[in-house]
Structure formats: C-alpha cells, structure tokens
Amino acid sequence: MKKWIIVAESGSDITYDEAKELGIELVPMHVTMGGKSYDDGTFPAEDICNYYKEHKELPKTSGSVPADFISLYDRIHAEHPQAQILHLAYSAATTISYNSSLAAAEGRDYVTAIDTKHVSVGQRAVILQTLELLRNEPGIAKDRLLKKVRAICDHTKMSFLPADLAYLHAGGRCTNLELWGSRLLHLHPCIEILDGKLIATTKYRGSFQKVVKKLVRDCAEKNHLTRERLWLVRTPGLSEETRKIAEDTAKELGFGLISWVKTGCVITTHGGEGAIGVVGIAEI
C-alpha cells in the first residue's frame, strides 16, 4: 500500500501543533518586518497588527522558496523512503510557492504538487478533505487520488470580508478613493477566491455586524454549500459579538459542524484586523 505524506505551506493556517496531530508537514512562508525576515507561524498574528499600529507600515509577505522545499522533501524521503509526497499548494496566482515546489521536485519522482487555487482556510479545508479521502480509501491509485483532490479544490469555496480597507490600502491593493469611499458610505467589499485569485465581488453596505450576517447567508446560498460543515475564519480583533452573529447565522442555515479558525500572519497581513471569512463545500 502506497503511503502519502501531505505537505502544505504555513499560510494554510494549520498550526505546527495541528500539523503534527494530522500527520502532515508544513513549509514556512515568510514575513518581513523592520527589515528582518521571519518564518510565518513562529510568532503570533497579533504582532502583525501591533507592528502596523506602531509603524504605520505594513509587513511584507513572501512565499516559500525552492530551498525551503528541498530541505523538507529530502528529510521526508530519508525518513520515509517508500512514501509519496503530495504538496497541496497555496494558490499559484498569489505567491511563488507552487513554482518553488515544482523546481524542488525536479529529480525527485516521489513528489507531486497540486495548485489548490486556495489560500488560508480554503487551503486548509482542501487538506482536511484530502486526509479524509485517504483515510476512507487508503489504497487509492495515484490517478484517482489526484482527480478527486482537484474536484475537492473546485468544490471548496471561500469568501472574506475585511473590517476596514486600511491594510489593503497600505499594501497597494486599493486606492485612496476606495478607502475613504468605503468608510464614508459604510461599504464592505466581499473578497472571493475565484480560480485562485482574490477578487472583490459584492459590495455590502451597512454596519459591519449587519453585513456579516449577509456574508454568511450569501456564501452558503450562492455557492450551494452542503450543510455538513462550515469553517468560520477570523483575524485578530474580531469581536465576540460579531463571532456570535456569524455562528448563529450558520446554525440558522442548518450547518452541522461549525469550526472557527484564527488566521496566521500571512492572511492577517493582507486582510487586516477584525476581518471574517467563510469556507464551505459546494454540493457536487
């Protein structure tokens, strides 16, 4: 029976402790603050928010480089020479990690990489579903596994709602007009992951808590999500009251298992403080 070992970036928002429990391996993405580079996942995401507040400068994120993957792949192969490695990659449209993995895989026929076309908890959801697939079909053939994983990627949906556009503005992802327009008019753009890209779609208007309820409902109904499981995503600073509104809305919609996931440093840098997201599985 072929053993598969899953590899993912730290930007999947699976912690190193969780990775150990799940039996997967993480490769670090990187965050630069004050001219120093740090491995994502080795410090709390609150540090990102504190750094921005103190310096009015947004930390910079970068993907995993080939050397990160080479050292990891070689270690895994030395420890498990008969195993196959499956890298479920952070969206290639947003970072270099997937291409870095392909470069590292040259000459290593035991490595396969798939672009999940997801980030953060969307990528996490793909990984958890893939692990479940491997548990249910431990002897699954490689071609069948890869086909099913790609279907999992396609049916995983994620929507994200920043509380404020300040971080996006600081990162050059929105204009002054968009920033102040959103504040004056109480507009909240929904960011969806579409074909691996972060795209601003619906613009909600109103108080953030009122909009959060619409976000959960729209994400569930627009994407025809199954009601078995839902992941709710939060960056540091999301209020307990807002969390309760999101969770209550999910329960009203009939979701069974509802899990909260706190973002790591990479997505916090882009989404900002007090943001919320929704990840679910579309009906097949």
Side-chain angles (χ1 to χ4, degrees), residues 161-172:
L161 194 71
D164 184 83
L165 298 187
Y167 281 61
L168 292 174
H169 178 261

Side-chain angles (χ1 to χ4, degrees), residues 196-215:
K197 300 174 183 176
L198 282 72
I199 306 295
T201 56
T202 306
K203 285 188 178 179
Y204 294 108
R205 187 169 185 175
S207 69
F208 189 68
Q209 292 179 345
K210 181 179 178 181
V211 165
V212 163
K213 189 167 186 175
K214 292 180 182 177
L215 172 75

Side-chain angles (χ1 to χ4, degrees), residues 9-74:
E9 292 87 344
S10 58
S12 62
D13 290 335
I14 294 174
T15 67
Y16 282 92
D17 286 343
E18 288 173 325
K20 186 175 181 180
E21 292 178 9
L22 293 169
I24 71 171
E25 296 280 354
L26 294 179
V27 61
M29 297 176 82
H30 309 284
V31 179
T32 300
M33 294 187 293
K36 295 182 179 179
S37 180
Y38 303 89
D39 285 352
D40 174 38
T42 61
F43 62 97
E46 284 81 359
D47 288 2
I48 297 291
C49 304
N50 293 334
Y51 181 87
Y52 178 70
K53 288 176 183 176
E54 182 177 352
H55 299 279
K56 301 304 178 186
E57 176 184 275
L58 195 64
K60 291 180 172 57
T61 63
S62 57
S64 310
V65 298
D68 294 323
F69 287 101
I70 288 170
S71 61
L72 178 60
Y73 290 162
D74 287 350

Side-chain angles (χ1 to χ4, degrees), residues 179-232:
L179 172 64
W180 291 106
S182 70
R183 290 175 174 175
L184 291 171
L185 301 175
H186 302 289
L187 295 176
H188 303 277
C190 172
I191 311 297
E192 295 186 61
I193 313 302
L194 302 175
D195 197 31
K197 300 174 183 176
L198 282 72
I199 306 295
T201 56
T202 306
K203 285 188 178 179
Y204 294 108
R205 187 169 185 175
S207 69
F208 189 68
Q209 292 179 345
K210 181 179 178 181
V211 165
V212 163
K213 189 167 186 175
K214 292 180 182 177
L215 172 75
V216 177
R217 186 172 295 277
D218 287 353
C219 184
E221 295 178 349
K222 174 183 174 182
N223 294 305
H224 305 288
L225 300 184
T226 65
R227 296 306 197 254
E228 294 178 12
R229 182 166 192 179
L230 191 74
W231 291 268
L232 295 174

Side-chain angles (χ1 to χ4, degrees), residues 92-185:
T94 65
T95 184
I96 63 170
S97 295
Y98 175 66
N99 288 328
S100 294
S101 176
L102 294 181
E106 291 182 8
R108 295 171 173 82
D109 60 2
Y110 51 87
V111 177
T112 302
I114 290 180
D115 177 7
T116 67
K117 298 186 178 182
H118 279 284
V119 305
S120 183
V121 181
Q123 184 187 10
R124 175 193 179 103
V126 170
I127 292 162
L128 294 180
Q129 292 173 82
T130 300
L131 289 172
E132 184 177 353
L133 170 62
L134 289 170
R135 285 194 297 268
N136 292 337
E137 299 186 47
I140 189 170
K142 180 177 180 179
D143 288 349
R144 176 175 167 79
L145 172 63
L146 300 185
K147 181 178 179 180
K148 280 187 164 287
V149 170
R150 290 189 176 99
I152 287 171
C153 296
D154 290 342
H155 286 88
T156 300
K157 306 296 180 181
M158 179 174 178
S159 298
F160 198 74
L161 194 71
D164 184 83
L165 298 187
Y167 281 61
L168 292 174
H169 178 261
R173 292 178 174 83
C174 79
T175 65
N176 284 331
L177 182 62
E178 289 170 325
L179 172 64
W180 291 106
S182 70
R183 290 175 174 175
L184 291 171
L185 301 175

